[in-house]
Amino acid sequence: MDTSFQAAIDAGKINGAVICATDAEGHFVYNKAIGERTLLSGEKQPQQLDDVLYLASATKLFTTIAALQCVEDGLLSLDGDLSSIAPELATKHVLTGFADDGSPQLDPPARPITLKMLLTHSSGTCYHFMNPLIAKWRAQFADPQNDDPRSVEEMFSYPLIFQPGAGWMYGPGLDWAGRVVERVTGGTLMEFMQKRIFDPLDISDAQFYPVTREDLRARLVDLNPDDPGALGSAVLGGGGDMNSRGRGDFGGHGLFLPGSGFIEVLRSLLANDGKLLNTNIVDDMFQQHLGPEAAASHQAALASPMGVFFRVGTDLGMKLGHGLGGLLTLEDVDGWYGERTLTWGGGLTLAWFIDRKNNLCGIGAIQATLPVDGELVAELKQTFRHDIYNKYTAWKGQQ
């Protein structure tokens, strides 16, 4: 890992990386910041463990925890009808195609959308860039040229792409889940996360976009000459308009947090220490939560051309499912992930995992340069995922 990352820095492909890993007890600790970050002024500073990172879709884990805390509080249930809380979801129909005159063909929903469906991408909500029908609907009805900041409801006004619970496709389910949390708690998603996730772990440096706290802005990796708006452009492969176009806290992609804080959340779940959730709810996160139809659709998605992104480093053909919070392995991999490892990532550059069977969790955040070399970054993430196990095994051999 050290040599490959340094070679990428020397080649100008990445600026650096933040890597954190630990076991549940905090006996094995691997924290490393390598490379440099560039300030808006052009000044370069060594990468630090507490530099504030854009999490992109790694935000989804935190929103999942927040939603499950609402389940624990009795404010929500995993399988309950969300119609009274989010009527916008209840009125969504399923887009099946377009008639000759260009009008959309829509079927009514066969069943209500539930929180579990939102958390496992089985609700039928879909990102427009994942489905050509939704992209066409968006171009025709959603005014994508309008750059005014929009709420979750406005940003994701699209129809469903399949009947609730009857398929799987990556989409804004966690953004909707974040809004559900806000509606049942009466505050913002950030306020709830701070009180229930970050305060119990003594984390004080998290914020949703835009990051306005001056103490955090001084540590923002994504505030640099290539990304003066701190949109997380490198994380997103050169984009970032989803942040600039959003209004409010987007639970699917909007959070900024240092790697040193992220690993504390992962370790709490790994240890199942009760600080964030009851032990039985944490156990439930690491179970397969897709029904037969959704599971079959998930397998098809994993094998599709986009499947390399959905598999987050696992091999095609592995037994995989979906837990509450990310992809779930359903078998052991020799020398690597144990059965029921939960894993996901953020954009092109961030990867995280929680392996309860082998007692290890980690986050690897690569600080890519623009234009992003996607193939190299994918190789470096995979190097992190595997080599951290080698380091852990070597450490255990010395105990």
Side-chain angles (χ1 to χ4, degrees):
M1 185 158 57
D2 297 349
T3 55
S4 58
F5 276 60
Q6 189 59 54
I9 293 172
D10 294 342
K13 296 292 187 178
I14 69 172
N15 292 316
V18 174
I19 300 162
C20 302
T22 184
D23 59 7
E25 299 77 20
H27 295 156
F28 170 77
V29 175
Y30 184 91
N31 290 331
K32 190 162 189 176
I34 59 175
E36 295 179 321
R37 68 184 184 95
T38 305
L39 308 186
L40 276 178
S41 64
E43 177 190 351
K44 293 185 181 296
Q45 293 185 348
Q47 191 88 59
Q48 303 290 337
L49 286 171
D50 67 348
D51 285 344
V52 178
L53 312 171
Y54 176 47
L55 302 190
S57 289
T59 302
K60 291 175 169 68
L61 174 65
F62 297 82
T63 304
T64 297
I65 295 168
L68 293 176
Q69 288 170 333
C70 290
V71 172
E72 190 175 283
D73 293 346
L75 300 174
L76 295 169
S77 68
L78 280 173
D79 296 308
D81 183 350
L82 292 175
S83 298
S84 62
I85 301 168
E88 302 92 339
L89 288 174
T91 58
K92 287 185 180 294
H93 281 46
V94 180
L95 180 63
T96 60
F98 289 84
D100 291 340
D101 63 1
S103 60
Q105 298 173 313
L106 298 161
D107 289 346
R111 61 190 67 85
I113 289 175
T114 68
L115 180 61
K116 183 187 290 186
M117 293 176 190
L118 294 179
L119 300 183
T120 58
H121 302 291
S122 59
S123 66
T125 60
C126 176
Y127 290 129
H128 70 277
F129 50 85
M130 292 289 179
N131 185 276
L133 290 179
I134 296 297
K136 182 175 180 178
W137 187 96
R138 177 176 179 264
Q140 188 170 341
F141 296 105
D143 190 13
Q145 302 307 314
N146 182 355
D147 291 330
D148 293 338
R150 303 181 186 187
S151 64
V152 168
E153 295 89 333
E154 294 165 332
M155 185 88 83
F156 302 118
S157 60
Y158 324 140
L160 306 178
I161 200 58
F162 52 76
Q163 288 290 346
W168 187 94
M169 181 45 63
Y170 196 47
L174 273 297
D175 296 290
W176 283 105
R179 287 294 288 127
V180 167
V181 168
E182 291 183 331
R183 290 179 183 182
V184 299
T185 62
T188 68
L189 185 57
M190 185 65 228
E191 288 169 344
F192 187 79
M193 285 185 177
Q194 187 62 54
K195 180 179 179 181
R196 296 294 296 275
I197 298 175
F198 301 127
D199 283 349
L201 299 178
D202 296 321
I203 297 169
S204 60
D205 40 15
Q207 191 175 351
F208 278 89
Y209 180 87
V211 177
T212 56
R213 280 172 48 189
E214 286 304 317
D215 60 321
L216 298 186
R217 287 181 66 81
R219 293 155 49 196
L220 271 175
V221 170
D222 296 290
L223 187 65
N224 58 56
D226 289 331
D227 190 6
L231 295 174
S233 294
V235 179
L236 298 170
D241 69 306
M242 64 171 65
N243 274 332
S244 62
R245 294 180 66 240
R247 185 179 73 250
D249 299 347
F250 277 70
H253 65 256
L255 197 60
F256 288 73
L257 178 73
S260 55
F262 199 119
I263 194 65
E264 288 304 314
V265 174
L266 297 182
R267 190 174 79 85
S268 182
L269 295 175
L270 176 65
N272 206 355
D273 57 16
K275 292 181 179 180
L276 301 181
L277 291 162
N278 289 337
T279 57
N280 62 320
I281 293 184
V282 172
D283 288 342
D284 199 34
M285 293 178 69
F286 293 82
Q287 303 300 316
Q288 160 73 302
H289 280 282
L290 297 178
E293 284 184 290
S297 178
H298 184 224
Q299 293 304 310
L302 294 174
S304 73
M306 290 294 293
V308 64
F309 298 105
F310 303 147
R311 296 196 300 271
V312 287
T314 60
D315 292 332
L316 183 63
M318 275 185 63
K319 295 178 181 178
L320 302 167
H322 211 285
L324 301 178
L327 185 77
L328 189 71
T329 65
L330 298 178
E331 63 179 342
D332 291 332
V333 180
D334 187 35
W336 193 39
Y337 288 166
E339 182 183 359
R340 299 191 187 278
T341 293
L342 196 67
T343 178
W344 202 247
L348 297 182
T349 62
L350 191 149
W352 65 262
F353 68 90
I354 307 171
D355 181 348
R356 298 210 298 175
K357 189 165 186 178
N358 289 310
N359 190 27
L360 185 65
C361 63
I363 170 180
I366 297 163
Q367 308 309 313
T369 59
L370 291 173
V372 176
D373 186 334
E375 185 175 335
L376 175 64
V377 168
E379 291 174 2
L380 293 175
K381 285 192 297 184
Q382 199 69 339
T383 298
F384 152 72
R385 292 183 181 109
H386 284 277
D387 196 45
I388 201 66
Y389 277 79
N390 296 334
K391 294 182 185 301
Y392 184 43
T393 299
W395 173 83
K396 286 191 293 185
Q398 296 170 358
Q399 302 308 300

